[in-house]
Amino acid sequence: MDSVIQWNCRGMKNKFEELKLFVKDCNPVAICLQESFLLKDDSLTFKNYTIYSHPASDDNGKAHGGTLIMVRNNVAHNQVTINSTLQAVVVTLTLHKKFTLCSVYLPPALRIDIAELDRLMGQISGPFIILGDFNAHSLLWGCRTNNPKGEIIENFIQKHDMCVFNDGSQTYLHPATGSTSALDLSLCHPNLFLDFNWKVADDLCGSDHFPILLQTVDGLQQNLIPHFKLHRADWTKFQLLCEERLVPDLFEDQAHSMELFTRVIYQIAEESIPRTSNRKKRIYYPWFTNLCKDSIKSRKKALHDFKRMLANERLISYKMAAAKSRRTI
């Protein structure tokens, strides 16, 4: 099924291998990253994906913030040019239906101007999905407290008749205290709310935010359409079969001769031209050894143990497992 990933990765460069592994498992059509830490002059590519980026701010060579959207090359899409002071990227893409996808990052110190949010919405047309780290607290999406920034976002959601995918699950783990919160929001137009299932991953993947997965519900996903491999066609066989079967007598007294001609040509093509598979290609990485697999398993177990008992020593154990996993990968 089709899926979209949302993740505050806290640096795309140092999470590059982790992102590859996540993509290998779910093969998403699009990836929205926040705090990419990519500066304007940074050049980064990701195989089979096109990257649209809003650069991070440059503080004497140190990057802060930044957001981007990666779209799989075989998905029909187009970047939308926006005029906004916010860190946001917008593209339109087509899955089971056409919609607009926006990735946004609002830094903790940013004073939110609802007029600027409204201005961004004025440049987003049709059904939409907005994914991002809003750094705002509200009971509405799973935080334990409300704050003024959260109230502004609540008003913004209500004003534009948005639906909230969040189900109350925690999306952020404070690396120093071990406290959790729901800072990452997934918002959408009402026409898209029932089209996706929302799920928080069970591993931080080296960040302090959990990746979030939006998957199309059963019945909406589209199987890959096989295509003829024209570069591997047996044209000699194709020609001989055409000469043998496309004879004038075949079309005499036929009311739908063009339909018959098309059907015969297609049968000949199937016999002489191989086609691509309708199965999704599985991605393999030679460097992903059993040692990498075991280190990720240990990291997940340490995180699970900490969630069961919020003890300081278990938080330290998780940090050690996460550091070891990152070093191993």
Side-chain angles (χ1 to χ4, degrees), residues 23 40 46 65 82 135 142 152 167 174 193 212 253 266 270 274 277 282 304 329:
V23 169
K40 185 176 181 180
F46 200 93
I82 60 172
N135 280 299
I152 293 175
D167 61 5
H174 195 289
F193 184 67
I212 296 170
D253 302 325
Y266 192 81
E270 285 188 314
S277 171
R282 187 174 178 84
H304 178 70
I329 294 172

Side-chain angles (χ1 to χ4, degrees), residues 136-147:
H137 294 259
S138 171
L139 299 175
L140 178 64
W141 48 81
C143 297
R144 294 180 175 84
T145 59
N146 289 347
N147 68 359

Side-chain angles (χ1 to χ4, degrees), residues 81-99:
T81 302
I82 60 172
N83 182 14
S84 175
T85 61
L86 300 176
Q87 297 186 37
V89 179
V90 180
V91 300
T92 59
L93 52 86
T94 303
L95 301 183
H96 57 285
K97 63 176 66 170
K98 184 177 180 180
F99 65 94

Side-chain angles (χ1 to χ4, degrees), residues 106-145:
L106 303 182
L110 177 69
R111 294 185 62 182
I112 296 180
D113 183 357
I114 194 168
E116 191 60 34
L117 290 171
D118 292 339
R119 185 182 178 192
L120 174 64
M121 286 302 302
Q123 301 173 75
I124 296 176
S125 60
F128 59 84
I129 294 178
I130 300 177
L131 307 175
D133 178 2
F134 285 75
N135 280 299
H137 294 259
S138 171
L139 299 175
L140 178 64
W141 48 81
C143 297
R144 294 180 175 84
T145 59

